[in-house]
Amino acid sequence: MQVLNWITTAPRRTLALIAAACVALLAFGMYLQHVQGLEPCPMCIVQRYALVLVAVCTGLASLRGSKGWWMSLGIVALAASGFGAFVAARQTWLQWYPPEFASCGRDFYGMIENYPVSRAIPMIFRGSGDCAAVDWTFLGGSIANWSFVCFVGFAAVLLVLLLKGGKRA
């Protein structure tokens, strides 16, 4: 019960912590890409965009004390968290049950540049050999597994914050 009180007593602080956690996760993703040499698959890139949207919305929401302001941005952040969790769950599914014919198709930017959006979006969610590969694990979970856990955690905190309405910061 104290955790719920801590979350809802100062919504601006909670939103700022979510934004900071998102930035830390994005920095870790950049570390894995640029230092460890792991190339992100199309679904990983979509998850990064969802994480950026959560970070921007919660960061902006934490700057203003107006309840309508932070609640509106909190709803957008909640939707982005749900979308990120969906993509991470789909990638986890592909990792657990890889497609019979793994084909390393175009990269994310190649899809967007060469195909209309109506064809590129389904191609991203279909996944590829890259999306089913598990290149890094921590405590038995892949990047997609941990991404799912983080997005669900952000969504849960945002949902509690929005449902309780929070006291004015």
Side-chain angles (χ1 to χ4, degrees):
M1 215 44 167
Q2 282 201 343
V3 173
L4 290 178
N5 288 338
W6 189 85
I7 289 171
T8 58
T9 301
R12 290 175 61 191
R13 174 187 58 206
T14 303
L15 292 165
L17 286 173
I18 291 172
C22 290
V23 169
L25 289 170
L26 287 165
F28 183 65
M30 292 293 122
Y31 166 79
L32 288 176
Q33 180 178 354
H34 296 290
V35 176
Q36 295 296 319
L38 299 178
E39 282 300 315
C41 71
M43 293 178 116
C44 295
I45 293 171
V46 171
Q47 290 171 59
R48 281 187 188 177
Y49 285 134
L51 202 56
V52 166
L53 186 58
V54 172
V56 168
C57 287
T58 55
L60 287 174
S62 71
L63 296 177
R64 295 276 311 258
S66 167
K67 187 175 179 179
W69 173 260
W70 69 257
M71 287 191 80
S72 299
L73 287 170
I75 290 169
V76 175
L78 178 63
S81 293
F83 177 70
F86 168 76
V87 175
R90 175 68 179 138
Q91 185 175 4
T92 296
W93 176 265
L94 287 172
Q95 290 174 349
W96 289 344
Y97 305 102
E100 288 183 35
F101 302 103
S103 65
C104 295
R106 293 182 175 268
D107 65 342
F108 179 74
Y109 299 107
M111 286 184 217
I112 298 297
E113 288 175 358
N114 295 317
Y115 294 104
V117 175
S118 61
R119 278 191 63 202
I121 302 255
M123 288 171 69
I124 292 168
F125 289 107
R126 203 171 303 125
S128 66
D130 296 323
C131 293
V134 177
D135 297 327
W136 180 89
T137 60
F138 177 71
L139 297 176
S142 69
I143 296 172
N145 302 146
W146 286 109
S147 180
F148 176 77
V149 168
C150 291
F151 278 120
V152 168
F154 295 148
V157 170
L158 286 165
L159 192 61
V160 166
L161 195 60
L162 290 168
L163 290 177
K164 293 285 184 176
K167 298 175 184 159
R168 272 196 74 136

